[in-house]
Amino acid sequence: MLKSIAKATLLAAALSLPLSLTPAKAEVKTDFKVCWSIYVGWMPWGYLQDSGLMKKWADKYGISVEIVQINDYVESINQYTAGEYDGCSMTNMDALSIPAGGGVDTTALIVGDYSNGNDGIILKDKTELADIKGQTVNLVELSVSHYLLARALDTVGLSEQDLTVVNTSDADMIAAYQTDDVTAVVTWNPLLSEIEAQPNATKVFDSAGIPGEIIDIMMVNTETLADNPDFGKALTGAWYELMAIMSSDSDEGVAARTAMAEASGTDLAGYDAQLATTKMFFTPEDAVAFTKSAEMPKTMKFVAEFLFEKGILGEGAPSPEFVGVSFPDGSVYGDAANVKLKFDPSFMTMAADGTL
């Protein structure tokens, strides 16, 4: 949940980063650090560190990998962008706006999941999305909630000009909805479920309506990965060993999910409920297929246009195509001379082929 909560400071964080930010010089090395923050799809990173699975795979390649939890999501991305970490868990949207937009060449190493109902729009005393026209909508501005609203409005021929957006802290969202003058909110779980359970509340759209667009990824520094492929192999191998465990109903799988649930402040039932609205790619084959899909370039185009419209696609960006994004088929969206975000399924493919 902190992943989304911290996005309230996204605009300030993005605009405060100089365009020329570069990470620590990439080089052949043996010690690595990656960071993550609390979110259902990223809880496995903490478990990898605590269970010793990460050490097992790092030892296999003669390296060390430390996985560090950072409570502030945007701060974790800022620290990665500044070169304090070699990798960081983040969404596709934030990877484009902060490290890539700030000039740090970044690679999507492990495409872990996408939101499939964790984010939604709720109306009070209305039952159709089109009824949102003319209303005041409370949400965390410039977050994934804002992006979800923009995409939802497209589906009913509306735009943000047809309503009024009010920036509202996640901490105030439930209380705000209970007041008479708040009639529409966009938020995420667990707030979404709590508000939906209230009288006269109807969820009229959620992220299941834009499958594959809010993507959660372990991003790594491209130069570091190129100079140290064993780093990518160890991370990927550890991740998919755990995916096989946690997706099972074995005692080991239940124990792993229970530990993740407790670490995220809920119980097993609560964590499994969150997983139900998260499309986890438990197998590398599924992750590779998704990354190679024809929908990925379309998604990143939508995201780039949204970020540009909101003024957070890198300092002085002249168009949505300011930052180049490359895809597995060799195609590029945006400036081919400024490719700073790469979707490269090579290491996930190794996992699928059993060659790690």
Side-chain angles (χ1 to χ4, degrees):
M1 183 175 67
L2 292 181
K3 175 194 72 166
S4 296
I5 292 173
K7 286 179 181 173
T9 59
L10 176 59
L11 177 60
L15 294 182
S16 68
L17 293 172
L19 181 62
S20 59
L21 252 179
T22 54
K25 183 179 179 181
E27 59 185 359
V28 176
K29 57 183 185 176
T30 58
D31 299 324
F32 303 88
K33 292 195 303 178
V34 300
C35 56
W36 66 285
S37 52
I38 297 289
Y39 168 67
V40 57
W42 294 333
M43 297 312 299
W45 290 112
Y47 188 80
L48 284 172
Q49 177 74 18
D50 296 341
S51 67
L53 279 173
M54 186 70 256
K55 184 179 186 304
K56 167 189 168 181
W57 280 87
D59 287 349
K60 176 178 180 178
Y61 289 101
I63 63 175
S64 70
V65 179
E66 182 183 4
I67 303 175
V68 179
Q69 179 185 338
I70 296 179
N71 289 332
D72 186 315
Y73 170 65
V74 171
E75 180 59 23
S76 72
I77 302 176
N78 287 343
Q79 290 191 30
Y80 159 77
T81 302
E84 294 299 315
Y85 291 90
D86 302 295
C88 181
S89 59
M90 65 188 83
T91 68
N92 53 322
M93 186 173 96
D94 298 325
L96 183 57
S97 67
I98 302 180
V104 176
D105 199 331
T106 294
T107 293
L109 178 71
I110 301 169
V111 178
D113 71 85
Y114 65 76
S115 175
N116 197 36
N118 272 329
D119 305 81
I121 301 172
I122 290 179
L123 299 184
K124 184 183 292 181
D125 296 319
K126 301 290 184 181
T127 59
E128 302 293 336
L129 176 59
D131 294 331
I132 202 170
K133 184 175 182 179
Q135 294 203 41
T136 296
V137 182
N138 295 69
L139 52 73
V140 176
E141 276 193 299
L142 306 173
S143 71
V144 165
S145 291
H146 207 154
Y147 175 78
L148 179 73
L149 174 65
R151 293 290 291 119
L153 293 174
D154 285 343
T155 68
V156 289
L158 297 175
S159 71
E160 198 169 320
Q161 285 67 45
D162 294 308
L163 44 82
T164 301
V165 168
V166 174
N167 188 27
T168 306
S169 167
D170 61 284
D172 299 328
M173 197 70 70
I174 293 176
Y177 185 81
Q178 293 171 340
T179 64
D180 292 339
D181 57 342
V182 173
T183 59
V185 299
V186 188
T187 190
W188 51 79
N189 274 325
L191 306 179
L192 183 68
S193 297
E194 288 190 45
I195 294 174
E196 187 182 7
Q198 295 186 28
N200 303 323
T202 301
K203 183 172 66 178
V204 295
F205 192 88
D206 64 26
S207 52
I210 53 167
E213 295 192 23
I214 301 174
I215 312 168
D216 302 302
I217 303 168
M218 172 53 72
M219 296 285 184
V220 299
N221 180 275
T222 300
E223 292 181 9
T224 299
L225 183 64
D227 289 345
N228 303 275
D230 284 350
F231 166 56
K233 292 177 181 179
L235 275 180
T236 308
W239 177 263
Y240 286 112
E241 179 173 347
L242 179 53
M243 289 300 99
I245 292 170
M246 70 176 285
S247 61
S248 76
D249 288 325
S250 65
D251 290 345
E252 189 178 15
V254 171
R257 295 200 308 279
T258 299
M260 293 178 211
E262 292 174 352
S264 61
T266 186
D267 56 17
L268 179 60
Y271 186 67
D272 282 346
Q274 292 178 47
L275 283 174
T277 53
T278 307
K279 174 57 179 177
M280 293 291 296
F281 297 117
F282 286 118
T283 69
E285 292 84 356
D286 286 348
V288 169
F290 176 76
T291 305
K292 288 184 173 181
S293 73
E295 297 305 309
M296 185 67 80
K298 298 176 185 177
T299 293
M300 294 311 300
K301 178 176 182 292
F302 283 135
V303 169
E305 290 172 346
F306 173 82
L307 294 172
F308 177 72
E309 178 186 343
K310 301 303 177 185
I312 51 176
L313 184 62
E315 184 178 342
S319 78
E321 299 183 355
F322 172 62
V323 179
V325 182
S326 66
F327 303 98
D329 64 358
S331 65
V332 173
Y333 170 77
D335 187 352
N338 186 38
V339 174
K340 295 299 180 183
L341 183 58
K342 299 177 173 67
F343 284 87
D344 180 0
S346 298
F347 291 85
M348 296 185 292
T349 299
M350 292 180 204
D353 293 342
T355 56
L356 291 176

